[in-house]
């Protein structure tokens, strides 16, 4: 059995994105071998109910390394021999988070010795790279370059598939608008359009030219749905959002992932307006399978089905199994509930056999699509072959490029940057100065040895006189170091410039890592205050897994670079930027608020009945907190480079947009600086009056331009009626004639160039 049409061919054939969003998602995209349905039905006909329940049971691999084991709560793991036996007995559909070719070959051997010889699946959290670690997804989103996300996902898939992985639990496509939530680091931030484009790109990257190819891994957009809307930014907390907001904000990145060919999704941990997503028949049934005609698989999150009991939604394990399964969860991850309870539920008639068969059919077709019935060892050839594909020079080069493109320069007053590698004495200060334990981010399970890629070594390697760099820790992440501040101040005094490598350690973000106060930890803030008092120019390099509220000397520093967690090539990429070998080109995918108390803050908020028209004036009885404008400190889309960019000559052709026409929006972007730079030109729109209130601005398109010193370029966007759709009063896609504002701007809150137009009836 084989699947010859590549996804690219199918996508090209399918035409425009607008058309794609109307065709059914899932199996409609990869062309199935004509023999598959008959093959699957014949196999299904030979299976016992227990074997069927086995095909719906996924468990942690006993070969999971310590990093992989540490990301989930501890559960009872079977012994190696028990897991082999389960594979042989057909009690398992696959295992996750192991990447051990020899062991997985033994597991597959056991499955092949079983009665039905159904191959096992090997899944893993390949979130942002495998042995080569790319920037955290939130960082990579700052590149505003979906093609980069496609390339890094492709490279991750090449490494992971060679090491035996068939299926990744990625991309995480949860829109995240509350910076307290620690899992925002795994996604693409607050914006729907950026989220959709990145979701599609990552799916395409993971799945490559066809799922049955040995270097493809199946994608799994997660967590369905609205996990990022947890109340108070508290991980796992309840979510209560309107159906309109679900449809407008939280659903679209999933649709984009499915339209790009993803065949699986993961049910979220959270409840959704009273009904846990894992037991939500409206969500998984009516919407996903009904309305969207999704033909793919739904997997629970880790023990998500069992957790229906703690939610207070199921009375016991049997009830939890019934509710999760009947709601539409095909595969149970880690709890073992399906294996334990589905046979009895089918025997009692509470779960119809036809429903069980439908889920098993989906699993078998998924395995067929992955090429596993043709060759169960497709991605577990040999340890040598696995090793031969890891950390290749071109992959490391891509990691350096991605790291460079992920960094956002918030400020560069008086052109403090770039530094001079030949002339300046530099004090490098802070807990990230020579750290290698915090460069990967919180979701790295398989990253390799990183020695030598710390910032200090990379800076030294780039400097003419390595002695001109003095390195001082100055502080721990959380706690002061004895004498640390004194040492740091001494080093700064002896230098021309102080570079402060500070911020959050990676454990501050990721799963179950919500923060209440999203600021630079106090010990480090004090360090920066003391170094700033020397009067030396400061360059702040912030490590962070979320937007931070910056204060005091950190905020006052003339130069600030947001560096997230950049992965394997963190040090070299930062040295490239600091010394001007590359120009910063990232833009914020999340707004940085002025104060943590503004959260959730996102640029696409509604105007309210009393908007504050002049954020700097703080008029009474207008929408703002005491003393704080209702605006970001650094808004979504903001970022600087080493050029000097100017926008002018906005031309929209006509101020009237016929309902079947298009507006050509043109602007001239000029680099008046002395260095090359990249600019992310952003198109925003506001619908002034509609039957449902609209956000103050919405991103409709963006374009990244490379501009040599002194160069200019014209950027053109095309705006059509369908770009102005919103979820109307009847929860249907709606567009209404009327007046719209339009901005071509360098950020969501910058004035940029402005025009208005009328959408005609
Ligand atoms: C996370 C998922 C992850 C799963 C398996 C869960 O705790 O929420 O995102 O894929 O564990 O590691």
């Amino acid at each position: 059995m084989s699947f010859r049409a590549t996804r690219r061919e199918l996508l090209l054939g399918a035409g425009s994105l607008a058309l794609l969003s109307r065709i059914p998602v899932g199996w409609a995209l990869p062309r199935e071998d004509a023999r598959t349905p008959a093959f699957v039905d014949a196999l299904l006909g030979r299976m016992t109910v227990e074997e069927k329940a086995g095909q719906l049971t996924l468990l942690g691999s006993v070969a999971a390394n310590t990093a992989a084991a540490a990301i989930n709560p501890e559960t009872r793991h079977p012994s190696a021999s028990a897991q082999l036996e389960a594979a042989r007995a057909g009690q398992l559909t696959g295992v996750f988070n192991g990447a051990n070719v020899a062991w997985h070959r033994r597991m597959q051997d056991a499955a092949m010795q079983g009665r039905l010889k159904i191959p096992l699946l090997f899944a893993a959290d390949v979130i942002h790279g495998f042995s080569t670690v790319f920037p955290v997804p939130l960082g990579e989103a700052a590149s505003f370059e979906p093609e980069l996300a496609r390339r890094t996902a492709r490279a991750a898939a090449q490494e992971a598939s060679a090491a035996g992985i068939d299926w990744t639990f990625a991309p995480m496509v949860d829109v995240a608008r509350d910076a307290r939530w620690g899992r925002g680091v795994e996604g693409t931030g607050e914006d729907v359009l950026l989220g959709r484009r990145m979701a599609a790109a990552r799916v395409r990257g993971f799945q490559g030219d066809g799922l049955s190819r040995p270097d493809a891994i199946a994608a799994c957009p997660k967590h369905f749905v609205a996990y990022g809307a947890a109340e108070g930014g508290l991980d796992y907390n309840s979510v209560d959002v309107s159906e309109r907001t679900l449809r407008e904000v939280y659903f679209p990145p999933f649709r984009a992932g499915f339209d790009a060919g993803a065949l699986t999704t993961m049910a979220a941990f959270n409840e959704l307006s009273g009904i846990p997503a894992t037991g939500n028949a409206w969500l998984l049934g009516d919407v996903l399978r009904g309305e969207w005609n999704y033909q793919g698989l739904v997997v629970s999150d880790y023990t998500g089905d069992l957790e229906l009991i703690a939610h207070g939604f199921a009375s016991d394990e049997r009830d939890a199994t019934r509710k999760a399964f009947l709601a539409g969860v095909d595969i149970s991850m880690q709890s073992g509930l399906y294996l334990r309870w589905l046979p009895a539920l089918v025997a009692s008639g509470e779960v119809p056999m036809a429903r069980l068969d439908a889920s098993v059919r989906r699993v078998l077709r998924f395995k067929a699509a992955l090429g596993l019935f043709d060759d169960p060892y497709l991605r577990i050839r040999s340890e040598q072959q696995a090793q031969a594909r890891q950390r290749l020079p071109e992959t490391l080069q891509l990691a350096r490029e991605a790291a460079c493109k992920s960094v956002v320069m918030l400020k560069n007053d008086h052109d403090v940057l770039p530094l001079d590698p030949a002339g300046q004495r530099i004090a490098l200060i802070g807990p990230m100065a020579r750290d290698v334990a915090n460069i990967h981010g919180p979701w790295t399970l398989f990253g390799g040895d990183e020695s030598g890629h710390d910032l200090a070594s990379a800076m030294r390697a780039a400097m003419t006189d390595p002695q001109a760099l003095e390195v001082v820790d100055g502080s721990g992440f959380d706690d002061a170091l004895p004498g640390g501040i004194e040492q740091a101040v001494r080093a700064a005094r002896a230098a021309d410039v102080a570079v402060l490598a500070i911020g959050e350690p990676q454990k501050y973000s990721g799963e179950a890592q919500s923060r209440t106060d999203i600021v630079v930890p106090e010990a480090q803030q004090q360090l920066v205050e003391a170094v700033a008092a020397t009067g030396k120019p400061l360059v702040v390099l912030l490590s962070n897994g979320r937007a931070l509220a910056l204060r005091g000397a950190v905020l006052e520093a003339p130069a600030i670079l947001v560096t997230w967690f950049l992965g394997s090539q963190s040090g070299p990429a930062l040295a490239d930027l600091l010394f001007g070998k590359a120009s910063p080109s990232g833009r914020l995918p999340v707004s940085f608020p002025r104060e943590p108390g503004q959260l959730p803050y996102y640029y696409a908020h509604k105007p309210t009945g009393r908007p504050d028209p002049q954020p700097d004036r703080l008029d009474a009885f207008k929408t703002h907190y005491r003393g704080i404008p209702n605006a970001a400190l650094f808004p979504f889309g903001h970022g600087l480079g080493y050029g000097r960019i100017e926008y002018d000559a906005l031309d929209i052709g006509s101020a009237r947009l016929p309902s079947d026409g298009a507006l050509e929006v043109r602007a001239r972007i000029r680099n008046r600086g002395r260095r090359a730079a990249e600019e992310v030109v952003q198109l925003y729109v506001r619908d002034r009056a509609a039957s449902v209130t609209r956000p103050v601005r919405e991103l409709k398109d963006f374009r990244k331009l490379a501009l040599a010193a002194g160069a200019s370029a014209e950027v053109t966007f095309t705006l059509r009626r369908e770009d102005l759709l919103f979820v109307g009063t009847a929860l249907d896609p709606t567009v209404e004639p009327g007046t719209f504002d339009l901005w071509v701007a360098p950020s969501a809150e910058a004035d940029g160039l402005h025009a208005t137009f009328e959408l005609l009836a």
Side-chain angles (χ1 to χ4, degrees), residues 71-72 97 125 169 183 222-223 266 269 301-302 511:
I71 54 150
N72 292 123
N97 281 349
D125 289 289
F169 300 139
R183 297 199 77 172
K222 70 184 185 185
H223 308 81
M266 186 184 291
F269 281 134
D301 202 343
Y302 193 97
E511 187 170 343

Side-chain angles (χ1 to χ4, degrees), residues 50-115:
E50 286 70 22
E51 284 163 340
K52 290 177 186 176
Q55 283 308 306
L56 308 181
T57 298
L58 184 71
L59 292 177
S61 170
V62 295
N65 62 25
T66 38
I71 54 150
N72 292 123
E74 249 181 86
T75 44
R76 271 173 294 121
H77 281 292
S79 66
S81 57
Q83 196 157 79
L84 274 182
E85 195 37 50
R88 194 170 293 119
Q91 293 169 348
L92 266 182
T93 201
V95 292
F96 65 95
N97 281 349
N100 178 325
V101 172
W103 173 253
H104 287 176
R105 282 188 72 89
R106 280 186 66 194
M107 292 278 297
Q108 201 66 298
D109 287 346
M112 291 303 110
Q113 289 154 12
R115 197 177 80 83

Side-chain angles (χ1 to χ4, degrees), residues 530-609:
V531 174
T534 63
K536 293 295 165 115
L538 300 192
V539 174
V540 168
L541 303 183
L542 273 182
S543 294
N544 51 323
R546 54 164 59 75
L548 294 176
L550 306 179
R551 293 173 171 163
V554 174
L555 179 57
E556 294 309 316
I560 306 176
L561 297 185
V562 173
T563 77
W564 322 102
F565 302 106
L566 293 176
S568 298
Q569 293 290 305
S570 179
L574 286 173
D576 288 347
L577 294 167
L578 285 171
F579 294 119
K581 218 166 135 188
S583 171
S585 59
R587 300 293 182 266
L588 290 180
V590 280
S591 301
F592 275 41
R594 288 159 194 260
E595 289 293 335
Q598 281 177 284
L599 298 176
Y601 184 85
Y602 48 95
Y603 82 89
H605 58 77
K606 298 293 186 71
T608 82

